[in-house]
Amino acid sequence: MEQLLASCFGGLFKLPVRRCAFSAKLVHGLMTRQVVTKKRYEMWPVFGGNPMRFSLAEFGTVTGLPCGEFEEGYVVDDMARVKKTDFVFWDRLFYGRRDVTIADVAAMVASDKEMPPNRKLKLCLLIIVDGVLLATTQNPKPTVKHVKRLESLKKFLGFPWGREAFWWTISGMLPAQRVLGKCDDPEGGFCKKLRQESKILPGFPLALQLWAFEAIPLLVKRLSGDDGETILTFSGAKLPQHSGLPLSGVLEAEHDPQLKVQPMAERGADEEEGWGEFDCEINDRKVAYVIELLNSGHVFRKEEWGGGDAAEPKYEHDSSGRTGKRKGRGVQSKEAEGPALKQRRLSRYFTRVGSGGEDRLGAVEAKVENLMELVAKLKKIVVRQGRQLRRRKVAGSGRHSSSRLSALGRKKKKTGETEPKKLFSDSEGESTDNKTDGGDDVVGGDTSLGDDPSEAIMMDKGLGKMKESDVVPLEGAKKGDPREEGHQVYYGCGSNTFFVSEDEDFGELNKLVGVITRAAEAQEEKVASAGDDTSSEESENEKDDDENKVLNVSDSSPCRTTEKHKPVEKEEELAALLLAKEAFSLANLVPAAEDSDYQFFESVLIANPKVLHLNAGKYDLDNQFFLDLATPEKWVSTKVLHMEALVDYVGGRHEVALKARRCLFLPPWFAGHLQGKTRAFNAAKCNKGRVLCDGRLSGFLTKEGKKWGEDVDTLYSPMIWGGNHWVGLCISLTDWRVLVLDPNPALREMSEVWELMETVSKMLPYLVKKVCTPPKDKAYNLEAFAIERMGGAYENKRSGDCGPVSIKFMELHALGNPHPRMDGLTDALVDIMRKQFAMDLYKDWVVPLYMGGSQP
């Protein structure tokens, strides 16, 4: 605080509190009473017939801010283009946040008790400059050029902030410059703005009020309190919002015979050359004549000031006051009364002229009539919906017709093929429950109730919220399809595999948000007798299917115990074939021939491509996943988890060998995470390691048994370039090198590779320094890793195979490049390799789910 008080801003803390309660009416009155001149940096308001100047000299006198000349070449420009290098100190000061407001900065200072004093001082200075002196919006934000200047406190405190603040302040208090075709009548436009209900005043408009109190002593006498309480000694949380100077006080001071107005501030003898002056100011002979008269002692009268806005009514002041009786109350002094909490409008200073009142009234009446008609229509809709709700509640009772399913009408069977239906819509908002007055939940994307009772699907409020992972996706099957087995839901207690065949249209199910969970015990349903007559026919129809259904959804009773899923004959045969195969060995790392059972494997999966296997190797994979992986030239990506699954599978299959060779396979998100930090890392000129201080990344790099430098020396991770090409990375912590395992090096020149890998190579030293214990003889340096690209290996020039090939390259390289070696691969071997990948994943991750066991 001592540094702040000793700075150029110390004078602001010595301002009297009673003078700092901003009076917008007083400022507005002074602006409307100003004389029109050619000056661009001076305002000449007239109070009681006496002219008074408000210029940079007066601004500096009342604020105590430095008002010297700007440094050579400086331009006050709020439209200057911001460069990336200008955010260097910004990111250090705000830890990379770009959407900071002055309110956020103030909260930082108030909440952080352990903030370093130097940083706290800089933030406080920023609050004063951008939040008080140079505020241009209702919710001010830090300015980039001011933050950049704050990097050097000496440079910041030596800047003429008074001149900058006055430039912004006076720009909103004077008419604009005349520009032909754009601003032909600046005075008229300025008067129009003054008639508005509000007007934006940038900068520090309080300075005009402070100068009015300084130049007109009679105004100060009519304020409550005294000047002894300053902002520094003020104990309140906020400054008073009203100055306690009513309209009557201003008018009395203006017509007081003892009125004295100080026309200008006197320049101090110690002020530097150029203080309080603008070299670019326009010379106005009329203003010079007024100053000459003031210096000669001329006494001005109101009659000498002509002109003005003729549209405003002439105001005649009556000093006799009111003679009507008022409710008696105790008389208090101005000091005891305190600041006024409410002021009357100062409309007499500058009234707002309106026109076309009758037309506006008619337009408002017409709008009111339209609104009343709409309200009447809405009331009718609400009444109709209430009747429909009551009708559905009555029809919703019965053994199997719950409040969720009672309104779900069965449609006629369709002869055409139906599209697969989703139980969840893509939009999160479409599945959100909407509360009704009755307390029930209306479910569905469209919550409106039509004339058809089947459009409303009610959900009992007693049920808990549904998880998306509990829902079985529904597969639409054509009528008469050979794989159709009736309307059955297969759900295995030990298996996480699902399949639904359909013999009717499930279009209404898109509105149903169902909950399918595993139940521990079966309970008999007890349903109230109300409404049995209306739903008896539906109950009888559903009784016939009870034996075939494994799922029972009731009002509030728990589900039945589901039967264990029994795979069809072909699935059992496939599982037996895969289990009977020999265990994996390095000799079969790249099979020379296609597996003899692959055709059968493919036919089983094609028959049911939408079968979903939950928690298969910690992923939820359907049969289509394996078919895509086995298809040659089929693009694989992270969206369907192909690359994540392959990295996990290969890393787990060779876990012992990789641990012995001190190697570790990293998921694709590692390289993607570094790519996402590129912009912030390049923008940070100092303390770049802070950009990489990510909780997820730090926790991943310090896992037990996988610590860099202690347990691992070589890292393998896939990386995607441009969103269309996968490569493998071999990161050596001992050689300080990144080897790029590119399946198709002909796509990019080495210069392009360096450009793509430049930022990643610079980030890695900071990660190593963060998580690795430094060597005993020396510390880690921050030199970028060397980038090399492997040559002489197989080149996959086909499209779509780069993902699996890059995984195979990393696998071979990590194991010492065994037979057939990376240079021995061919397009035919890649096709076989992809099919083998699919069969191995299915065997090791999916088959154990059929058996009700866990992953090996």
Side-chain angles (χ1 to χ4, degrees):
M1 192 63 187
E2 294 179 359
Q3 288 181 286
L4 198 58
L5 294 176
S7 68
C8 60
F9 304 104
L12 298 176
F13 295 90
K14 299 177 183 178
L15 294 175
V17 173
R18 68 169 183 166
R19 299 192 183 194
C20 293
F22 186 68
S23 175
K25 295 179 180 179
L26 177 60
V27 173
H28 181 268
L30 294 174
M31 291 171 59
T32 58
R33 296 293 189 89
Q34 65 176 298
V35 179
V36 179
T37 69
K38 295 180 182 180
K39 296 285 187 178
R40 302 309 310 155
Y41 302 103
E42 288 183 8
M43 185 175 73
W44 285 84
V46 178
F47 189 85
N50 300 280
M52 50 185 288
R53 184 183 69 179
F54 180 65
S55 66
L56 181 58
E58 287 73 31
F59 185 91
T61 300
V62 296
T63 61
L65 296 170
C67 298
E69 294 184 352
F70 289 127
E71 58 192 17
E72 189 68 25
Y74 180 81
V75 178
V76 182
D77 185 9
D78 61 326
M79 302 300 292
R81 185 175 181 180
V82 180
K83 302 177 182 178
K84 292 183 178 180
T85 55
D86 295 337
F87 284 99
V88 174
F89 184 72
W90 177 295
D91 292 335
R92 287 166 49 193
L93 188 64
F94 299 121
Y95 302 130
R97 289 185 57 185
R98 297 291 176 87
D99 57 344
V100 181
T101 63
I102 293 298
D104 297 334
V105 178
M108 294 179 192
V109 176
S111 61
D112 193 349
K113 304 299 182 181
E114 299 180 356
M115 183 182 296
N118 187 47
R119 181 169 181 263
K120 182 173 290 187
L121 175 62
K122 292 182 178 181
L123 293 179
C124 291
L125 293 174
L126 192 63
I127 294 172
I128 294 174
V129 171
D130 280 329
V132 179
L133 300 179
L134 301 175
T136 57
T137 60
Q138 189 72 19
N139 189 19
K141 297 182 179 181
T143 308
V144 176
K145 67 176 183 178
H146 297 160
V147 175
K148 183 179 179 181
R149 188 179 295 275
L150 195 60
E151 187 172 5
S152 173
L153 278 177
K154 183 178 179 181
K155 185 178 179 181
F156 187 89
L157 297 176
F159 184 79
W161 292 111
R163 182 177 290 262
E164 175 99 357
F166 177 76
W167 190 94
W168 286 101
T169 304
I170 200 67
S171 64
M173 295 183 175
L174 296 176
Q177 289 182 302
R178 187 185 304 274
V179 180
L180 294 178
K182 293 184 178 180
C183 184
D184 297 326
D185 185 15
E187 289 78 16
F190 186 70
C191 291
K192 185 177 180 181
K193 290 182 178 179
L194 291 176
R195 291 192 184 100
Q196 296 175 168
E197 293 185 359
S198 62
K199 183 183 185 304
I200 297 176
L201 292 177
F204 191 52
L206 180 65
L208 177 59
Q209 175 180 308
L210 295 175
W211 171 241
F213 288 149
E214 187 73 21
I216 310 171
L218 285 180
L219 292 179
V220 181
K221 289 183 179 180
R222 285 165 171 77
L223 293 175
S224 59
D226 55 51
D227 290 344
E229 187 178 27
T230 64
I231 293 180
L232 184 62
T233 60
F234 182 64
S235 58
K238 294 182 179 180
L239 292 175
Q241 296 184 357
H242 303 284
S243 62
L245 183 65
L247 170 62
S248 58
V250 176
L251 298 179
E252 288 174 3
E254 189 175 17
H255 294 84
D256 195 317
Q258 304 297 325
L259 175 65
K260 292 183 179 180
V261 177
Q262 180 182 348
M264 297 176 291
E266 298 180 0
R267 177 177 173 179
D270 57 342
E271 300 297 348
E272 60 183 1
E273 184 179 358
W275 184 90
E277 300 176 356
F278 282 93
D279 295 337
C280 57
E281 180 61 282
I282 300 174
N283 183 29
D284 191 337
R285 291 184 294 106
K286 295 181 180 180
V287 174
Y289 177 66
V290 171
I291 295 176
E292 183 179 346
L293 292 177
L294 289 172
N295 292 334
S296 64
H298 178 75
V299 178
F300 287 89
R301 298 187 307 274
K302 295 182 181 180
E303 293 78 11
E304 298 181 43
W305 303 103
D309 192 345
E312 299 302 318
K314 185 178 179 181
Y315 171 71
E316 298 291 344
H317 178 63
D318 182 11
S319 59
S320 60
R322 298 181 180 178
T323 58
K325 295 183 179 180
R326 300 183 63 183
K327 185 176 180 180
R329 61 177 182 177
V331 180
Q332 296 181 348
S333 64
K334 290 288 184 179
E335 291 78 5
E337 187 177 5
L341 297 179
K342 187 175 182 180
Q343 298 184 14
R344 288 165 290 180
R345 297 181 61 183
L346 192 60
S347 57
R348 296 193 184 103
Y349 262 118
F350 216 81
T351 58
R352 184 169 59 255
V353 179
S355 61
E358 297 180 357
D359 296 339
R360 293 182 180 179
L361 180 60
V364 172
E365 291 178 350
K367 290 183 178 180
V368 171
E369 292 179 0
N370 293 335
L371 290 175
M372 293 180 66
E373 292 178 1
L374 292 175
V375 170
K377 292 180 180 180
L378 290 174
K379 286 183 178 180
K380 293 180 180 179
I381 294 175
V382 171
V383 173
R384 184 174 70 252
Q385 290 178 348
R387 292 196 300 267
Q388 292 172 350
L389 280 174
R390 289 190 293 271
R391 191 183 309 131
R392 282 153 183 72
K393 288 181 179 179
V394 173
S397 59
R399 188 170 185 271
H400 289 289
S401 52
S402 66
S403 59
R404 296 188 186 185
L405 299 178
S406 60
L408 180 59
R410 293 180 176 268
K411 293 188 175 181
K412 296 182 179 181
K413 300 179 182 179
K414 294 185 179 181
T415 58
E417 184 175 354
T418 62
E419 295 292 333
K421 306 298 180 179
K422 292 184 178 179
L423 202 56
F424 284 91
S425 62
D426 294 334
S427 174
E428 183 180 355
E430 293 179 0
S431 62
T432 305
D433 297 344
N434 297 314
K435 296 291 182 181
T436 63
D437 293 339
D440 297 334
D441 296 335
V442 181
V443 182
D446 184 6
T447 58
S448 62
L449 298 176
D451 296 332
D452 186 3
S454 64
E455 293 181 1
I457 302 174
M458 304 303 299
M459 189 174 186
D460 192 21
K461 67 179 181 180
L463 293 175
K465 292 185 178 181
M466 155 201 56
K467 298 181 180 178
E468 189 170 351
S469 59
D470 295 332
V471 176
V472 178
L474 299 178
E475 161 86 347
K478 184 177 179 181
K479 180 68 176 178
D481 195 291
R483 60 187 173 91
E484 178 184 354
E485 299 179 14
H487 184 187
Q488 294 181 340
V489 178
Y490 291 107
Y491 179 57
C493 295
S495 168
N496 289 346
T497 302
F498 303 90
F499 173 73
V500 175
S501 63
E502 180 183 17
D503 61 354
E504 61 182 305
D505 180 22
F506 281 96
E508 292 293 340
L509 285 179
N510 286 333
K511 299 180 181 178
L512 175 61
V513 181
V515 180
I516 302 178
T517 58
R518 301 183 184 183
E521 297 179 358
Q523 295 184 5
E524 285 294 327
E525 219 176 357
K526 295 182 179 181
V527 185
S529 59
D532 284 345
D533 296 337
T534 60
S535 60
S536 59
E537 182 179 355
E538 182 180 355
S539 300
E540 291 297 331
N541 293 333
E542 292 183 353
K543 285 180 181 179
D544 298 335
D545 298 331
D546 280 351
E547 296 180 357
N548 295 330
K549 292 186 177 181
V550 296
L551 176 65
N552 179 24
V553 182
S554 61
D555 291 339
S556 58
S557 303
C559 299
R560 288 183 181 180
T561 302
T562 55
E563 299 177 3
K564 185 174 182 179
H565 168 56
K566 296 180 180 180
V568 296
E569 182 179 354
K570 289 185 177 181
E571 290 177 319
E572 294 178 347
E573 185 178 351
L574 175 61
L577 284 174
L578 295 177
L579 289 174
K581 291 185 177 296
E582 297 180 357
F584 171 79
S585 63
L586 288 179
N588 297 323
L589 191 60
V590 180
E594 180 181 312
D595 193 297
S596 58
D597 297 320
Y598 175 75
Q599 296 300 328
F600 178 70
F601 168 80
E602 184 180 31
S603 63
V604 174
L605 269 59
I606 290 177
N608 301 320
K610 296 300 181 181
V611 171
L612 180 64
H613 312 283
L614 300 183
N615 200 27
K618 80 178 183 182
Y619 301 102
D620 298 340
L621 310 176
D622 58 9
N623 283 349
Q624 190 63 47
F625 169 89
F626 300 96
L627 293 173
D628 292 343
L629 179 58
T631 304
E633 301 184 53
K634 182 75 173 180
W635 172 258
V636 297
S637 66
T638 57
K639 292 183 179 180
V640 288
L641 303 176
H642 282 114
M643 296 300 290
E644 285 88 345
L646 286 175
V647 170
D648 275 357
Y649 181 75
V650 172
R653 182 163 67 177
H654 304 293
E655 182 178 4
V656 177
L658 293 177
K659 187 174 183 180
R661 301 175 69 90
R662 297 177 62 83
C663 299
L664 176 65
F665 273 59
L666 302 177
W669 74 259
F670 172 76
H673 185 82
L674 297 184
Q675 288 175 302
K677 296 284 187 179
T678 298
R679 183 176 179 181
F681 183 84
N682 291 333
K685 299 302 181 183
C686 301
N687 198 7
K688 291 178 176 290
R690 185 182 294 275
V691 178
L692 303 175
C693 292
D694 185 282
R696 179 186 180 190
L697 186 61
S698 300
F700 178 77
L701 300 179
T702 56
K703 284 186 178 181
E704 191 65 30
K706 299 181 180 180
K707 294 181 179 179
W708 291 19
E710 296 182 13
D711 307 313
V712 177
D713 293 329
T714 306
L715 312 169
Y716 291 90
S717 175
M719 181 179 184
I720 191 168
W721 288 349
N724 56 12
H725 184 59
W726 285 101
V727 298
L729 302 183
C730 173
I731 305 171
S732 176
L733 304 181
T734 55
D735 298 337
W736 218 252
R737 181 192 66 165
V738 177
L739 179 64
V740 179
L741 309 176
D742 192 347
N744 190 4
L747 284 179
R748 287 177 172 82
E749 299 291 339
M750 193 59 196
S751 58
E752 297 180 72
V753 175
W754 284 333
E755 184 177 352
L756 290 168
M757 296 296 301
E758 180 182 7
T759 305
V760 175
S761 66
K762 292 179 179 179
M763 291 181 181
L764 290 173
Y766 289 92
L767 288 178
V768 172
K769 182 179 179 182
K770 179 179 178 61
V771 301
C772 296
T773 305
K776 296 181 180 179
D777 53 343
K778 61 178 180 179
Y780 286 116
N781 59 56
L782 297 179
E783 295 181 4
F785 275 51
I787 304 297
E788 299 178 6
R789 183 164 62 178
M790 180 185 64
Y794 156 74
E795 294 186 13
N796 180 261
K797 297 183 179 180
R798 304 185 305 180
S799 175
D801 291 330
C802 55
V805 172
S806 61
I807 297 294
K808 183 58 68 172
F809 274 178
M810 293 192 298
E811 183 181 19
L812 291 170
H813 192 276
L815 299 176
N817 198 16
H819 182 79
R821 301 173 57 86
M822 286 182 280
D823 56 350
L825 295 178
T826 62
D827 291 346
L829 289 179
V830 169
D831 295 346
I832 297 173
M833 174 196 72
R834 293 191 63 155
K835 297 175 181 178
Q836 194 63 42
F837 264 145
M839 294 186 69
D840 290 345
L841 280 170
Y842 192 92
K843 172 189 174 183
D844 294 338
W845 283 3
V846 176
V847 171
L849 298 179
Y850 284 99
M851 303 171 63
S854 58
Q855 300 299 322

